[in-house]
Amino acid sequence: MTQTIKVAITGAGGKMGQEAVRMVTSTPHFQLVAAIDMHNDGKLLSEIEGMPNVEVRMYNDLHKALTENEVDVLIDLTNPKVGRKHMEIAFEHGVRPVVGTTGFSETDVRELSQMAEEKGLGAIIAPNFAIGAILMMKFSQMAARYLPDVEIIEMHHDRKLDAPSGTAVKTAQMISEVREPKQQGNPEEKEELQGAKGAEYEGMRIHSVRLPGLVAHQEVLFGGIGQTLTIRHDSIDRTSFMPGIRLAVETVMKLDLLVYGLENIIE
């Protein structure tokens, strides 16, 4: 018999959070026990327009939500400012966090990894939960072995807080594992407008686009002698992230350490 996993969701009132609420409440072996958001404290989800008709309480205080409910996994879909704090609170309550918030520094990941190991709790931070995006990153790493001149263009909605995106940074990090740092382009080139070439990561360039109408999109462009290669992924709807979140919730229950990147838990 499959174990029922008791889940709380922070950022439940946002667009991603609402999709996660629908995913959890429609998954037979998941049980939503609390929803955390800055608004609607004390209300039931069934009282809020657009939410599933379930008798689950909304909280504006994560400590209170985790104290009053038995929770196995916290899904955090907030923002970089509070994502780390929510992970620390989850660890304090013996809850395993699954975090889709980007903007964590290498120091943050190292310190949170230490907390997870000290508590013996699994944790997952995923810059992107879309399975297609993970494949895009893996394919890009494969291509970089043979085409080391790379530029990354990531495009997101205009409400995103961090730039470049966590997916773009993670892609560059994965490519750097198989690519020697190198400067690209003409060594004498000059930016006539500051930032025209984008951000630099070990010689690669990362460009961030923010526009209404976009969801989450990324192109990785490779150039070689007489050829180019483009690897692109598009999330055209937030439902694209739900299978990855479901997999992360199921997997984190079997872990006793922090995993950074969904590519580390899929074949």
Side-chain angles (χ1 to χ4, degrees):
M1 184 175 178
T2 304
Q3 175 190 3
T4 297
I5 302 174
K6 297 181 179 180
V7 178
I9 300 174
T10 54
K15 291 184 178 179
M16 272 283 284
Q18 290 179 35
E19 286 294 345
V21 167
R22 286 188 278 271
M23 180 275 289
V24 170
T25 55
S26 64
T27 301
H29 58 288
F30 289 178
Q31 179 186 354
L32 184 65
V33 295
I36 300 91
D37 195 70
M38 291 301 294
H39 309 289
N40 300 308
D41 182 47
K43 288 187 177 181
L44 299 177
L45 284 179
S46 58
E47 300 172 333
I48 301 170
E49 185 178 355
M51 288 292 197
N53 185 27
V54 292
E55 303 298 295
V56 173
R57 181 178 169 183
M58 296 279 285
Y59 294 81
N60 63 7
D61 184 294
L62 180 57
H63 271 297
K64 186 175 182 181
L66 298 185
T67 299
E68 294 186 357
N69 298 278
E70 183 180 339
V71 180
D72 297 312
V73 176
L74 173 69
I75 299 174
D76 183 76
L77 301 168
T78 53
N79 62 64
K81 295 180 180 178
V82 296
R84 171 169 176 154
K85 184 62 178 176
H86 287 171
M87 289 190 72
E88 293 174 351
I89 294 171
F91 288 143
E92 180 182 331
H93 286 267
V95 174
R96 292 169 159 82
V98 167
V99 181
T101 303
T102 62
F104 288 96
S105 68
E106 290 182 9
T107 300
D108 287 330
V109 174
R110 184 173 60 252
E111 292 175 353
L112 289 164
S113 293
Q114 184 176 348
M115 293 180 201
E117 290 183 28
E118 289 173 354
K119 293 284 188 177
L121 291 170
I124 294 174
I125 299 173
N128 199 316
F129 278 113
I131 302 299
I134 305 309
L135 295 173
M136 175 265 297
M137 289 190 278
K138 284 180 171 284
F139 296 158
S140 296
Q141 186 182 50
M142 292 169 60
R145 294 179 183 274
Y146 308 99
L147 297 169
D149 287 87
V150 188
E151 300 226 358
I152 298 170
I153 305 173
E154 57 93 352
M155 297 155 279
H156 284 79
H157 55 85
D158 58 346
R159 296 171 306 285
K160 186 171 178 58
L161 296 178
D162 55 322
S165 69
T167 299
V169 173
K170 182 65 175 176
T171 303
Q173 290 172 341
M174 290 175 64
I175 289 173
S176 71
E177 293 173 7
V178 301
R179 171 189 178 275
E180 291 295 325
K182 61 172 289 186
Q183 292 304 122
Q184 300 177 168
N186 191 319
E188 303 299 323
E189 71 182 2
K190 177 184 177 183
E191 286 186 330
E192 299 297 341
L193 289 176
Q194 185 177 357
K197 287 285 291 175
E200 182 177 349
Y201 187 95
E202 295 192 358
M204 290 177 276
R205 293 290 182 168
I206 304 176
H207 310 266
S208 296
V209 177
R210 298 289 178 268
L211 288 172
L214 297 172
V215 179
H217 318 263
Q218 181 167 297
E219 289 185 354
V220 187
L221 286 72
F222 299 88
I225 298 173
Q227 63 180 322
T228 62
L229 170 66
T230 300
I231 300 173
R232 177 175 175 126
H233 176 262
D234 297 275
S235 281
I236 56 177
D237 190 272
R238 289 172 177 82
T239 54
S240 65
F241 304 114
M242 296 307 115
I245 295 177
R246 184 184 300 114
L247 174 63
V249 170
E250 293 167 343
T251 303
V252 79
M253 293 295 294
K254 307 168 189 174
L255 300 175
D256 57 4
L257 47 74
L258 185 148
V259 172
Y260 180 68
L262 203 65
E263 72 279 359
N264 293 307
I265 65 170
I266 66 173
E267 292 298 329

